[in-house]
Amino acid sequence: MSSPHTIMRIGYPCINRSIGCSANKTFRLASYSEERLISTVAENLACLKRILLWNAEHDILFFRITSDLVPFASHPVCTFRWQEHFNNEFAEIGEFITKSGIRISMHPDQFIVLNAPNKGVVDRSIAELAYHAGVLDAMGLDRTAKIQLHIGGVYGDKEASLVRFARTCEQLDPAILRRLVIENDDNRFTAPDCLSVHEQTGIPVLFDVFHHACNNAGEAMEDALQLTGNTWKKSDGVPMVDYSSQHPGKRPGSHADHIDPEDFSAFLQHSRPFDRDIMLEIKDKESSALRACDLARNDSRFCH
């Protein structure tokens, strides 16, 4: 369990391959029915509880919840009041999260684009963000539970795209905006680009270590780590970081299948003295998270 003095959690996203269930089951839109939705969400929530319990037992206190927890929740076909129906289940999960000291995040997929020139794309993106915020609200989690997002596309004019993103954010429901964080990506928007959006909107910047290695403006990682961390207010919680390393046998920009102990240990050194919660975007999920926890166990920041 965590204590008030521990300031670095380590986690992984969405799927635990060790426990034999999935919290991201879905189905085809053509087979949508309320009965199908209810049974699928019930299975997903039951598995999520198992994952969180397993994580807490293994000192893994940071977890990214799948966006597929409630299939088609933001689609017009879904008029079912899932938050009300599963109110007790969400509340129970949220209570366990809070008592266990677990940090939660969510990350909508790449089709969620707030700076798209197409209004329909933006409207659908906002509806999907409202669903994500609704999940976290249903669990009763405070604003330290975040929804991370890429800025989106360049559309031939980077500066105009940055401005368009900021203007869209100004119109978001506060329930979404209080949870939103933006991250640098691997080929379009650098950490300095995200910092410029923060200046316009106040949205915190999540620093992605791997994306920075692929796409930067020449700034050192330690400098970017500090500057992005400065964008988080106390009410936002400890700044979040995404970590991965390059797959040795694939094209540049491919995430590793397994944690590289030497690279991760070096990152821990570079990250000192900053307080950071670290999300491992590594393909073998909880296996690498367990190894990372072992590597961090002598770090005074490590939360367990």
Side-chain angles (χ1 to χ4, degrees):
M1 297 296 186
S2 62
S3 79
H5 305 293
T6 50
I7 46 180
M8 183 177 72
R9 301 172 185 89
I10 291 174
Y12 65 98
C14 304
I15 298 169
N16 182 303
R17 305 186 192 280
S18 300
I19 64 173
C21 72
S22 170
N24 62 341
K25 287 186 177 178
T26 186
F27 49 86
R28 293 171 61 87
L29 181 60
S31 63
Y32 180 90
S33 69
E34 285 191 1
E35 293 76 17
R36 188 76 179 270
L37 179 71
I38 289 168
S39 64
T40 302
V41 174
E43 281 190 67
N44 286 346
L45 290 174
C47 184
L48 177 60
K49 283 190 249 183
R50 288 182 59 191
I51 292 172
L52 292 169
L53 178 61
W54 189 96
N55 288 353
E57 289 172 346
H58 291 83
D59 293 337
I60 297 173
L61 299 181
F62 190 16
F63 188 65
R64 182 186 296 166
I65 294 177
T66 173
S67 295
D68 293 327
L69 196 65
V70 184
F72 304 110
S74 68
H75 193 282
V77 73
C78 181
T79 58
F80 182 69
R81 296 185 175 183
W82 51 269
Q83 286 159 297
E84 292 179 18
H85 184 88
F86 291 103
N87 177 64
N88 291 339
E89 289 85 348
F90 277 107
E92 181 184 333
I93 290 171
E95 185 178 0
F96 179 78
I97 288 168
T98 301
K99 285 184 175 179
S100 302
I102 294 173
R103 181 86 177 272
I104 293 296
S105 67
M106 298 184 79
H107 191 345
D109 67 26
Q110 69 270 23
F111 301 111
I112 309 307
V113 185
L114 291 184
N115 73 347
N118 184 306
K119 184 179 183 298
V121 172
V122 175
D123 289 345
R124 288 191 294 274
S125 297
I126 292 173
E128 183 69 4
L129 290 176
Y131 150 64
H132 283 72
V135 167
L136 300 174
D137 287 345
M139 293 178 182
L141 303 179
D142 65 21
R143 66 182 292 161
T144 65
K146 294 299 188 184
I147 302 167
Q148 68 186 81
L149 195 65
H150 295 286
I151 291 174
V154 174
Y155 302 106
D157 189 333
K158 190 174 189 179
E159 289 305 314
S161 294
L162 290 168
V163 169
R164 195 162 54 246
F165 180 91
R167 286 179 178 168
T168 300
C169 288
E170 290 170 359
Q171 302 166 27
L172 291 176
D173 188 303
I176 297 172
L177 196 56
R178 74 190 189 107
R179 297 197 184 277
L180 204 61
V181 299
I182 52 174
E183 66 167 299
N184 53 306
D185 63 58
D186 58 353
N187 57 18
R188 293 184 181 93
F189 296 102
T190 62
D193 292 327
C194 292
L195 290 169
S196 74
V197 171
H198 166 74
E199 290 298 318
Q200 299 175 65
T201 64
I203 296 171
V205 180
L206 181 154
F207 181 61
D208 189 303
V209 176
F210 185 54
H211 291 165
H212 173 78
C214 300
N215 178 35
N216 60 72
E219 68 281 4
M221 185 188 72
E222 292 87 344
D223 293 338
L225 194 64
Q226 180 171 12
L227 290 169
T228 55
N230 290 344
T231 64
W232 293 67
K233 299 189 294 290
K234 185 176 181 180
S235 59
D236 293 313
V238 173
M240 295 175 173
V241 170
D242 280 354
Y243 169 85
S244 183
S245 59
Q246 171 64 38
H247 192 296
K250 294 186 178 179
R251 62 171 179 78
S254 299
H255 290 271
D257 288 338
H258 315 287
I259 194 168
D260 179 331
E262 185 176 339
D263 188 83
F264 183 71
S265 296
F267 169 70
L268 290 180
Q269 290 286 349
H270 289 308
S271 71
R272 290 194 179 101
F274 307 122
D275 303 344
R276 297 292 182 268
D277 285 338
I278 304 171
M279 177 62 62
L280 304 177
E281 292 192 322
I282 299 174
K283 293 182 180 178
D284 65 357
K285 306 290 183 179
E286 78 281 359
S287 294
S288 280
L290 290 171
R291 182 72 176 111
C293 288
D294 285 341
L295 292 166
R297 209 161 289 278
N298 292 327
D299 192 310
S300 61
R301 299 171 295 170
F302 179 57
C303 183
H304 58 91

